[in-house]
Amino acid sequence: MRTPIIAGNWKMNKTPAEAKALVEELKPLVKDASATVVVCVPAIDIPAVAEAVKGSNIKLGAENVHFKESGAYTGEISAAMLKECGVEYVIIGHSERRTYFGETDETVNLRVKAAVAAGLTPIICVGEHKEEREAGYTDALVTYQTLIALTGLTDGEVASAVIAYEPVWAIGTGLTATDEQANETIGVIRKAIAGKYGCEVAEKVRIQYGGSMNPKNVKGLMAQKEIDGGLIGGASLKAPDFSLVVNFDK
Ligand code: PGA
């Protein structure tokens, strides 16, 4: 059985002081969670959050990582820098990075490899735009995105990676994929992994749903066989809401 993983994606929200306050509020609310609990925070908040989560069950994540070890890449942050600050997870290839910052499947793969080499667990985002779903390309697209992102990893590294299936049309829009749509597409992703790495590996990979997941729809989504957790944007910015998502099984 896969342990569910619920991760907050704070995006460009919360100053370090606000970040600390949110984590302090969250800690008692999620302490009995059966899911793995992660908060992925802006880079500048990492030291404050690393300090705040000490001794709790909340794991620290980043929202991006550069693929080079070091060098002349002004403004970028390496996997080793994140690791040294206590980061364990890192979101890679979020649709906002793909849309606004020129992220491609190839750079996603480079980042995944750099993260894994440094001992970070990647949360790899894949998902289709509305027009792609309407044209019937969803399955082919998520298969392609997933397999490219994982290229070069060992079976063991693939097994411990996290994938987030996020239909782009559902992010921040209040629209959610139906429970069945999310389950079906996540099943397609797992099948693609099984085809390349074998069923045993595919059965271990945790695949989240993301896109307007909230306290109201979490139970239905998590009741689906293929869905192993969620990547939560808006609803992760308020401790009561995020804790209701985390405690979906209570
Ligand atoms: P949302 O964001 O929950 O606000 O839709 C999810 C995400 O972008 O990861």
Side-chain angles (χ1 to χ4, degrees):
M1 277 305 286
R2 300 178 291 269
T3 307
I5 175 166
I6 306 286
N9 173 13
W10 290 4
K11 310 191 179 184
M12 196 174 73
N13 293 290
K14 307 290 175 191
T15 66
E18 291 166 348
K20 182 178 182 307
L22 176 53
V23 171
E24 293 301 345
E25 193 185 347
L26 200 56
K27 279 199 283 192
L29 301 178
V30 301
K31 68 176 182 3
D32 299 319
S34 45
T36 306
V37 185
V38 185
V39 289
C40 298
V41 308
I44 197 80
D45 294 346
I46 286 171
V49 174
E51 193 55 38
V53 298
K54 269 191 192 145
S56 79
N57 60 329
I58 302 173
K59 309 282 186 197
L60 176 55
E63 298 180 9
N64 190 24
V65 61
H66 197 261
F67 41 84
K68 295 284 189 184
E69 279 181 22
S70 63
Y73 302 99
T74 303
E76 294 297 321
I77 293 176
S78 76
M81 292 171 189
L82 295 177
K83 181 80 181 165
E84 191 176 309
C85 292
V87 170
E88 293 181 64
Y89 293 83
V90 58
I91 298 172
I92 296 177
H94 190 277
S95 70
E96 286 149 20
R97 302 250 18 126
R98 293 179 191 255
T99 303
Y100 306 133
F101 303 100
E103 196 80 61
T104 63
D105 290 323
E106 192 193 5
T107 56
V108 167
N109 175 241
L110 292 173
R111 287 176 214 271
V112 168
K113 286 191 285 195
V116 168
L120 300 171
T121 300
I123 300 177
I124 303 163
C125 301
V126 301
E128 82 288 359
H129 288 86
K130 186 163 168 277
E131 306 73 43
E132 292 162 337
R133 176 163 283 270
E134 286 166 359
Y137 296 153
T138 300
D139 294 2
L141 189 89
V142 297
T143 295
Y144 182 84
Q145 288 178 327
T146 303
L147 294 181
I148 303 237
L150 297 173
T151 299
L153 265 51
T154 65
D155 287 3
E157 288 165 347
V158 172
S160 53
V162 177
I163 313 280
Y165 165 57
E166 301 204 303
V168 180
W169 48 270
I171 296 176
T173 57
L175 298 172
T176 341
T178 64
D179 301 345
E180 294 73 26
Q181 271 174 334
N183 189 61
E184 192 188 321
T185 306
I186 289 179
V188 167
I189 294 170
R190 199 177 304 286
K191 208 165 145 208
I193 297 172
K196 178 142 182 217
Y197 300 93
C199 289
E200 209 178 307
V201 171
E203 284 305 315
K204 288 188 183 142
V205 180
R206 292 189 286 178
I207 310 181
Q208 303 171 311
Y209 168 78
S212 301
M213 200 166 176
N214 61 44
K216 285 206 179 75
N217 58 28
V218 64
K219 276 188 202 294
L221 288 159
M222 289 305 293
Q224 299 291 319
K225 177 171 155 286
E226 297 288 352
I227 304 179
D228 302 320
L231 185 57
I232 323 298
S236 72
L237 295 171
K238 292 199 177 108
D241 284 359
F242 188 58
S243 68
L244 286 171
V245 176
V246 165
N247 294 313
F248 68 90
D249 54 347
K250 302 263 186 309

